[in-house]
Amino acid sequence: MATITCDPKKNLVITITGAYYGVSDFTKCPSTRHEQVPSKRGDRTDQVRGLCGTSVKSRCSFSINAASLDDSCPGVAKRLRVNYYCSAPGILGMNSR
């Protein structure tokens, strides 16, 4: 389970700017070498936004699995990096996990 959180006491909400999913070791899945670095093929921004829903919120939790993120290298551990910021009208903050 992954969770993205902004401070609800400060009325901050999440905006996801990017999400990348793929293998971190080239030797385990050599046919998907491009998955190690953010690329269009490893880009899962739309999927993570869909998992979080379209409503404005300060917290988003979702399961990370092959079905939800399109596993291009079955049986090999992957990493998910989500870039997001927490904001209120006129205020921006940056976080990456």
Side-chain angles (χ1 to χ4, degrees):
M1 180 69 70
T3 302
I4 302 168
T5 306
C6 294
D7 190 344
K9 293 178 184 174
K10 294 181 180 178
N11 201 29
L12 300 177
V13 296
I14 300 165
T15 299
I16 296 171
T17 58
Y20 305 93
Y21 181 71
V23 297
S24 59
D25 184 347
F26 286 153
T27 62
K28 290 183 181 177
C29 195
S31 65
T32 58
R33 293 179 60 93
H34 56 274
E35 292 285 356
Q36 184 180 21
V37 295
S39 67
K40 274 305 198 187
R41 187 142 187 214
D43 188 338
R44 301 298 188 267
T45 306
D46 290 340
Q47 288 94 329
V48 172
R49 285 179 181 155
L51 292 168
C52 283
T54 57
S55 63
V56 175
K57 56 180 87 175
S58 61
R59 181 182 173 97
C60 168
S61 294
F62 56 93
S63 294
I64 301 170
N65 58 53
S68 63
L69 294 174
D70 186 28
D71 190 353
S72 61
C73 188
V76 176
K78 316 291 183 306
R79 288 184 174 226
L80 173 66
R81 186 182 82 215
V82 178
N83 298 324
Y84 68 95
Y85 63 88
C86 300
S87 66
I91 301 173
L92 294 178
M94 295 298 290
N95 288 303
S96 179
R97 290 196 180 160

